[in-house]
């Protein structure tokens, strides 16, 4: 009896559907159905009662499935414990990334990581929405902001200052703001998440905090699109310095009125449980810390940020 077949059995029991189980496991329905038949033949009894409209557990299945689930969990824990002891870097990394940071910074880091560790495979979920580890079938998530759920485990990667950006072409055409009050005359590029439009921008200097209600002719729920609009000279944007780093370093964008600082955030690698923190995840955490620190140092060397961001 194959372990892969037992995993199919558990998914069929969870979804009460062979088709739904197959979709969850990224396999053909016929393949999942064949796995169910092999297990039932090996056991000598039916686990499911099938009708034209539904599928439900048989009395034997109701007794067998919980024990099967427990046995597979024990095997999985034993395998992970051995890998932890031996520091084996392998397996599939199922990671959720935000759209802009993921596509333009993190994917190249992951490519280098996989080249150094060829036994690692990768499955990426690109989304700016908050991750649901169970709905989205991911094991780790790289996200801005410290985790608020006490049930998850997280590793802080770095501090991330915000920056107010615009292209040189936009500033030449519309003028360069030197104070937050000047932004009323400029077109803001807005990010929207869960129907909330981020149109109130906050800045601070050494003595005072400022809250500016911006106007805009462009709103997107994709952070990368906001960055593209900014590079194209369509307005000004407040974004993470990591998201905008390549464009700031190349001169495509300018850090506007840097003495007035937008709200900073933090970058975290989040895991749903201790069991998901494998040697590969710990090494990936260290990779993210090294790579992000390198980007921040470049921004400091070019005078875009000050050294306090590394504190």
């Amino acid at each position: 009896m194959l372990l892969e077949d037992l995993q199919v059995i558990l998914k069929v029991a969870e979804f009460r559907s062979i088709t739904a189980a197959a979709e969850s496991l990224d396999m053909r329905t016929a393949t999942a159905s064949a796995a169910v038949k092999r297990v039932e033949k090996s056991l000598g009894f039916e686990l499911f009662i099938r009708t034209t409209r539904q599928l439900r557990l048989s009395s034997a299945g109701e007794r067998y499935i919980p024990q099967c689930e427990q046995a597979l969990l024990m095997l999985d824990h034993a395998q992970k414990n051995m890998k932890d002891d031996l520091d084996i870097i392998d397996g599939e990394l199922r990671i959720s990334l935000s759209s802009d940071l993921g596509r333009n910074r993190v994917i190249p880091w992951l490519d280098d990581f996989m080249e150094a560790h060829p036994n690692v495979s990768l499955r990426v979920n690109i989304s700016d929405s908050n991750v649901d580890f169970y709905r989205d079938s991911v094991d780790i998530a790289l996200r801005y902001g410290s985790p608020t759920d006490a049930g998850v485990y997280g590793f802080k990667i770095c501090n991330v200052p915000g920056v107010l950006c615009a292209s040189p072409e936009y500033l030449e055409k519309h003028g360069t703001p030197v104070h937050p009050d000047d932004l009323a005359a400029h077109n803001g590029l807005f990010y929207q998440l869960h129907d909330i439009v981020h149109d109130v921008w906050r800045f601070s200097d050494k003595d005072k905090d400022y809250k500016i209600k911006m106007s805009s002719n462009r709103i997107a729920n994709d952070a990368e699109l906001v960055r593209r609009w900014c590079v194209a000279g369509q307005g000004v944007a407040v974004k993470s310095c990591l998201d905008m780093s390549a464009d700031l370093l190349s001169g495509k964008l300018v850090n506007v009125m840097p003495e007035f600082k937008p709200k900073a955030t933090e970058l975290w690698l989040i895991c749903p449980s201790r069991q998901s923190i494998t040697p590969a995840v710990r090494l990936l955490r260290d990779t993210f810390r090294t790579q992000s620190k390198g980007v921040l140092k470049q921004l400091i060397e070019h005078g875009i940020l000050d050294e306090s961001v590394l504190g």
Side-chain angles (χ1 to χ4, degrees):
M1 192 182 301
L2 299 174
L3 288 178
E4 292 81 359
D5 288 350
L6 294 178
Q7 290 166 347
V8 172
I9 290 292
L10 293 184
K11 282 295 182 182
V12 173
E14 176 185 351
F15 289 106
R16 296 295 195 270
S17 165
I18 292 176
T19 300
E23 290 176 355
S24 174
L25 295 168
D26 290 333
M27 64 173 55
R28 295 167 57 244
T29 300
T31 304
S33 180
V36 172
K37 291 177 181 177
R38 282 194 297 269
V39 173
E40 290 181 328
K41 181 178 180 180
S42 176
L43 293 172
F45 52 78
E46 290 188 341
L47 296 172
F48 305 101
I49 297 174
R50 306 160 180 81
T51 67
T52 55
R53 293 187 176 182
Q54 64 179 357
L55 177 148
R56 61 183 176 86
L57 287 172
S58 67
S59 58
E62 290 176 350
R63 296 193 302 273
Y64 180 78
I65 293 298
Q67 297 181 58
C68 176
E69 186 174 22
Q70 188 63 34
L72 287 182
L73 281 174
M74 291 176 64
L75 286 172
D76 186 53
H77 290 167
Q79 183 182 38
K80 287 180 177 177
N81 288 338
M82 287 300 298
K83 290 182 178 180
D84 286 350
D85 292 341
L86 299 173
D87 284 335
I88 296 174
I89 309 300
D90 68 355
E92 184 180 59
L93 287 172
R94 301 187 303 175
I95 185 170
S96 175
L97 304 171
S98 57
S99 62
D100 201 351
L101 181 67
R103 289 188 177 97
N104 299 304
R105 276 298 182 187
V106 180
I107 292 299
W109 299 348
L110 288 170
D111 288 340
D112 292 343
F113 182 87
M114 293 177 68
E115 185 174 351
H117 305 284
N119 292 325
V120 171
S121 61
L122 182 67
R123 183 176 300 197
V124 177
N125 179 307
I126 294 283
S127 173
D128 286 324
S129 299
N130 292 331
V131 65
D132 183 323
F133 285 106
Y134 304 101
R135 180 198 65 204
D136 300 328
S137 296
V138 298
D139 302 313
I140 52 177
L142 191 66
R143 280 291 183 266
Y144 289 121
S146 58
T148 56
D149 186 348
V152 303
Y153 295 81
F155 303 101
K156 181 180 175 181
I157 303 301
C158 65
N159 294 318
V160 185
V163 287
L164 175 68
C165 295
S167 69
E169 293 78 14
Y170 175 87
L171 296 175
E172 182 178 355
K173 183 176 180 179
H174 298 279
T176 301
V178 296
H179 188 276
D181 291 340
D182 297 339
L183 292 173
H186 289 268
N187 186 50
L189 302 172
F190 292 164
Y191 174 60
Q192 175 181 321
L193 181 63
H194 304 309
D195 297 326
I196 298 175
V197 177
H198 293 266
D199 57 355
V200 176
W201 293 356
R202 291 172 171 82
F203 302 87
S204 61
D205 60 12
K206 294 180 180 179
D207 304 314
K208 188 176 178 180
D209 294 331
Y210 302 86
K211 186 168 72 171
I212 308 298
K213 173 74 171 178
M214 296 291 296
S215 59
S216 175
N217 65 1
R218 282 177 169 80
I219 302 172
N221 67 347
D222 185 322
E224 185 186 16
L225 181 53
V226 174
R227 181 189 62 81
R228 290 186 181 185
W229 281 338
C230 193
V231 171
Q234 303 296 344
V236 294
V238 171
K239 290 267 286 168
S240 145
C241 70
L242 290 180
D243 287 357
M244 308 302 256
S245 56
D247 298 312
L248 289 166
L249 292 168
S250 68
K252 292 180 181 179
L253 291 178
V254 175
N255 184 13
V256 181
M257 56 184 207
E259 62 274 20
F260 296 95
K261 301 183 185 304
K263 184 179 178 181
T265 186
E266 298 172 348
L267 186 64
W268 282 71
L269 184 65
I270 305 168
C271 310
S273 67
R274 286 189 182 276
Q275 287 72 31
S276 59
I277 305 173
T278 63
V281 169
R282 287 195 292 269
L283 187 59
L284 189 61
R285 170 203 62 194
D286 296 341
T287 298
F288 287 160
R289 284 174 174 169
T290 299
Q291 294 282 9
S292 58
K293 186 176 182 180
V295 173
L296 293 174
K297 283 185 173 180
Q298 283 184 287
L299 293 171
I300 292 169
E301 291 168 359
H302 284 73
I304 298 167
L305 299 177
D306 58 62
E307 293 188 1
S308 63
V309 303
L310 297 177

